[in-house]
């Protein structure tokens, strides 16, 4: 029996997960489990919040998996990219735990974790796989060739897609979190009613959402004046058109990649992968090119430790070993991905 | 470039020219606070400013709170947009970034947590006009 512990604390969420013999037995996430179990305090953006909750989460994860601490065989934790103060909590905790148990420690790249969220599904992606990682902090188009070769085709040159959702939602008064609110409001809108532009970039696989944000601002400022009082009845068309522009940009680059690269499957990951219109649009694209399509369940789209445990397990199986003094890296490690 | 400066910009190129000029007066240890509404062009300005220091990829740090780049010298690119209160900044080690005097610090949405800003700094304000031109003002505070 092989028990793998995963720890994630790169940004706002603290999460602890356990995989036992390829089966996920626990995946606890602070924002979902914190309020209910640990006294109803909303965790603020802080390393202290990670510190307060990481031990209770570990205890609960062990209990849920009917395991004791000594049963853990490998400890995996996110080492970057992320907010350094937040990263250090999970990473240091993971390293110390591994050292005290005298078990291997595996540092995991957060983005690689997201890529591997598709592998938590029963029907797994097949290599090579075209993967779109879309979240509040990242927008990446990648080809995952094998467990140890990932090629980055494109990334955002300014705002991430999820950030564009949040900021436009704020601009038009929908509030936070922007993604779900825009998706809901857009349901009754016509996505073709307003022609918001899609950026054309030098590297055809890159993304840019800053110009789109500005053009939404320009639209509402010109139409509604400096007061920006938008009648509620106009919101569905604005949100549907905005959402359509973001998704068009993502799908456009993904289709370009499908024409150029021979892949077996297509997958979607990251917090924005929870957007139903995007899930469907990429699914249709995969079907058009007769590719297998894997999209993680909602719970594995946002930050979670299950994906970190799974990715770490694969690294462990490849035979790679790391020292207990492995450092956090706030940016993307150079060389993590080959850049096309 | 003579400060204080107040300029009306009409095109992206105007903003790029201003960013290029501004880069010439910056040195490691400087702290630049940038203020302006969503879509005013703060990240755009920084993106072109940092090209002058050999940095090609500049992403918005809204989600990550801080991006670090190394070019001609080290750059800390902060964004206070998601910060709710002062303690959160102390918690992520904001002060430690500031005392590294070999780096340049840029802070978007600086006016969201004004009490944390050092007394000596450069400040840039972006104002979007009705015709979508921008008024950009740059001043030195000491």
């Amino acid at each position: 029996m092989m028990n793998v512990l995963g720890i994630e604390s790169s940004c706002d969420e603290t999460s602890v997960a356990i995989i036992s013999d390829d089966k996920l037995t626990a995946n606890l996430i602070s924002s979902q489990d914190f309020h209910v179990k640990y006294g109803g305090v909303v965790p603020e953006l802080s390393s202290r919040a990670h510190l307060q909750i990481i031990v209770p989460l570990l205890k609960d994860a062990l209990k849920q998996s009917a395991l004791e601490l000594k049963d853990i065989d490998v400890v995996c934790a996110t080492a970057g990219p992320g907010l350094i103060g937040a990263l250090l909590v999970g990473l240091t905790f993971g390293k110390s735990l591994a050292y005290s148990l005298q078990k291997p420690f595996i540092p995991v790249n957060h983005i690689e974790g997201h890529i591997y969220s598709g592998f938590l599904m029963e029907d797994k992606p097949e290599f090579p796989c075209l993967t779109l990682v879309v979240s509040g902090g990242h927008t990446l188009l990648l080809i995952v060739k094998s467990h140890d070769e990932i090629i980055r085709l494109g990334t955002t040159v300014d705002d991430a897609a999820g950030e564009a959702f949040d900021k436009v939602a704020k601009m038009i008064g929908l509030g936070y979190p922007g993604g779900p609110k825009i998706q809901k409001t857009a349901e009754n809108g016509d996505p073709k009613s307003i022609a918001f532009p899609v950026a054309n970039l030098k590297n055809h696989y890159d993304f840019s959402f800053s110009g789109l944000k500005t053009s939404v601002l320009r639209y509402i400022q010109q139409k509604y004046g400096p007061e920006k009082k938008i009648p509620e009845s106009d919101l569905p068309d604005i949100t549907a058109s905005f959402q359509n522009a973001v998704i068009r940009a993502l799908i456009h680059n993904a289709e370009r990649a499908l024409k150029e690269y021979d892949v077996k499957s297509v997958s979607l990951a990251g917090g924005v992968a929870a957007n139903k219109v995007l899930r469907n649009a990429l699914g249709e694209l995969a079907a058009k090119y007769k590719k297998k399509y894997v999209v993680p369940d909602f719970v594995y789209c946002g930050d979670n430790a299950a994906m970190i445990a799974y990715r770490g397990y694969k690294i462990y199986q490849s035979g790679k070993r790391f020292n207990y003094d492995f450092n956090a890296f706030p940016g993307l490690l150079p060389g993590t991905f080959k850049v096309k | 470039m003579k400060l204080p400066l107040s300029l009306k910009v009409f095109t992206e190129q105007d903003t790029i020219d201003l960013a290029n000029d501004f880069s010439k007066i910056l040195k490691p240890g400087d702290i630049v606070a940038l203020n302006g509404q969503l879509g005013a062009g703060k990240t755009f300005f920084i993106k072109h400013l940092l090209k002058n220091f050999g940095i090609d990829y500049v992403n918005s740090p809204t989600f990550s709170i801080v991006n670090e780049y190394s070019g001609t010298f080290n750059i800390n690119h902060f964004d206070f947009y998601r910060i709710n209160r002062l303690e959160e900044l102390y918690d992520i080690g904001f002060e430690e970034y500031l005392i590294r005097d070999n780096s340049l610090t840029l802070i978007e949405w600086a006016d969201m947590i004004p009490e944390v800003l050092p007394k000596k700094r450069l400040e840039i304000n972006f104002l979007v006009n009705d015709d979508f031109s921008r008024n950009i003002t740059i001043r030195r505070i000491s």
Side-chain angles (χ1 to χ4, degrees):
Chain A
M1 182 116 155
M2 181 80 191
N3 300 314
V4 183
L5 177 72
I7 301 166
E8 155 70 29
S9 72
S10 67
C11 201
D12 300 350
E13 302 279 14
T14 324
S15 178
V16 173
I18 294 173
I19 292 177
S20 289
D21 282 339
D22 265 332
K23 204 175 157 282
L24 183 68
T25 53
N27 181 37
L28 300 174
I29 302 169
S30 56
S31 65
Q32 290 158 22
D33 300 280
F34 192 89
H35 318 274
V36 192
K37 291 179 189 159
Y38 307 104
V41 185
V42 180
E44 57 187 84
L45 176 82
S46 107
S47 333
R48 243 175 315 147
H50 290 295
L51 263 176
Q52 281 166 5
I53 195 177
I54 199 159
V55 173
L57 281 180
L58 173 66
K59 283 186 175 159
D60 269 17
L62 287 168
K63 203 164 141 193
Q64 243 183 53
S65 311
L67 293 172
E68 287 179 49
L69 208 47
K70 62 173 172 51
D71 301 322
I72 297 295
D73 298 294
V74 186
V75 181
C76 316
T78 306
L83 199 55
I84 188 80
L87 278 171
L88 280 172
V89 175
L91 183 71
T92 311
F93 185 76
K95 287 190 294 192
S96 320
L97 188 64
Y99 179 71
S100 70
L101 296 168
Q102 284 299 299
K103 294 288 162 63
F105 171 76
I106 308 285
V108 177
N109 178 307
H110 180 77
I111 304 292
E112 289 183 20
H114 273 302
I115 294 168
Y116 274 75
S117 58
F119 287 85
L120 294 166
M121 300 297 95
E122 210 156 290
D123 199 11
K124 299 184 191 319
E126 285 169 41
F127 297 132
C129 176
L130 179 72
T131 303
L132 187 59
V133 180
V134 211
S135 69
H138 306 280
T139 309
L140 292 156
L141 189 63
L142 308 151
I143 303 248
V144 186
K145 289 184 100 171
S146 67
H147 283 304
D148 38 40
E149 193 181 1
I150 300 169
I151 295 165
R152 189 186 88 185
L153 299 180
T155 182
T156 177
V157 298
D158 40 55
D159 298 2
E163 179 185 344
F165 269 92
D166 278 343
K167 289 196 168 163
V168 165
K170 172 132 188 186
M171 237 180 233
I172 59 177
L174 281 182
Y176 190 85
K181 293 218 161 141
I182 284 184
Q183 178 181 310
K184 182 107 202 1
T185 313
E187 277 170 11
N188 303 312
D190 174 7
K192 295 205 170 113
S193 53
I194 307 159
F196 291 128
V198 171
N200 237 330
L201 297 161
K202 226 188 294 163
N203 170 4
H204 294 310
Y205 290 117
D206 277 346
F207 303 96
S208 165
F209 296 107
S210 175
L212 173 60
K213 179 181 71 190
T214 307
S215 68
V216 174
L217 177 69
R218 188 190 285 257
Y219 177 85
I220 54 180
Q221 197 154 317
Q222 278 171 352
K223 186 150 184 201
Y224 308 105
E227 293 294 309
K228 290 194 295 185
K229 277 242 157 41
I230 309 170
E232 212 155 287
S233 56
D234 285 4
L235 288 176
D237 280 352
I238 296 172
T239 48
S241 301
F242 160 76
Q243 178 174 265
N244 180 45
V246 174
I247 292 172
R248 242 173 36 228
L250 297 170
I251 297 295
H252 182 262
N253 290 11
E255 177 154 25
R256 195 189 286 270
L258 284 176
K259 282 181 183 157
E260 193 177 335
Y261 296 91
D262 190 21
V263 297
K264 286 225 171 68
S265 60
V266 176
S267 77
L268 181 63
V272 184
N275 182 289
K276 284 178 199 149
V277 186
L278 175 60
R279 287 166 91 93
N280 293 340
L282 194 63
E284 278 169 25
L285 182 72
K288 181 176 159 191
Y289 286 83
K290 300 191 168 58
K291 309 292 180 194
K292 179 176 183 173
Y293 180 51
V294 180
V295 55
D297 291 347
F298 290 119
V299 62
Y300 307 120
C301 290
D303 292 350
N304 67 86
M307 66 188 196
I308 300 301
Y310 192 89
R311 175 56 183 154
Y313 188 30
K314 286 294 152 196
I315 295 172
Y316 172 80
Q317 284 178 322
S318 78
K320 277 189 203 130
R321 294 295 178 266
F322 303 83
N323 292 332
Y324 292 123
D325 61 357
F326 192 93
N327 255 333
F329 52 94
L332 260 190
L333 258 192
T336 306
F337 305 124
K338 287 183 189 158
V339 177
K340 177 71 191 165
Chain B
M1 175 178 275
K2 268 187 93 177
L3 299 183
L5 171 147
S6 183
L7 193 71
K8 192 165 186 171
V9 301
F10 293 91
T11 64
E12 289 193 343
Q13 191 56 48
D14 290 346
T15 307
I16 295 170
D17 291 344
L18 183 66
N20 290 342
D21 282 350
F22 182 61
S23 74
K24 296 189 184 99
I25 67 163
L26 288 178
K27 55 182 190 320
D30 282 346
I31 291 154
V32 186
L34 297 97
N35 302 312
Q37 66 177 104
L38 277 171
K42 298 179 293 298
T43 309
F44 183 82
F45 182 88
I46 289 176
K47 192 186 182 76
H48 288 281
L49 176 70
L50 294 189
K51 279 192 179 162
N52 293 283
F53 304 129
I55 295 155
D56 287 329
Y57 264 88
V58 171
N59 284 170
S60 162
T62 296
F63 191 78
S64 55
I65 313 294
V66 56
N67 289 344
E68 293 170 61
Y69 317 107
S70 54
T72 321
F73 37 82
N74 292 324
I75 316 271
N76 309 313
H77 181 190
F78 276 91
D79 189 331
F80 287 179
Y81 184 76
R82 291 201 313 135
I83 302 287
N84 300 308
R85 53 187 117 141
L86 186 62
E87 291 75 32
E88 294 177 356
L89 275 178
Y90 289 142
D91 202 66
I92 63 166
F94 177 72
E95 290 163 304
E96 281 152 58
Y97 285 94
L98 292 196
I99 55 171
R100 290 192 223 158
D101 55 6
N102 61 341
S103 61
L104 168 70
T105 301
L106 307 164
I107 308 169
E108 296 192 42
W109 293 96
D111 52 1
M112 298 205 32
I113 315 281
E115 60 271 36
V116 83
L117 300 175
K119 290 206 170 63
K120 221 178 130 188
R121 62 181 187 266
L122 288 147
E123 198 159 278
I124 311 183
N125 290 297
F126 298 77
L127 187 76
V128 186
N129 300 312
D130 289 349
D131 64 356
F132 234 66
S133 64
R134 267 89 160 157
N135 285 352
I136 302 181
T137 55
I138 307 180
R139 62 189 179 133
R140 198 181 283 281
I141 296 174
S142 54

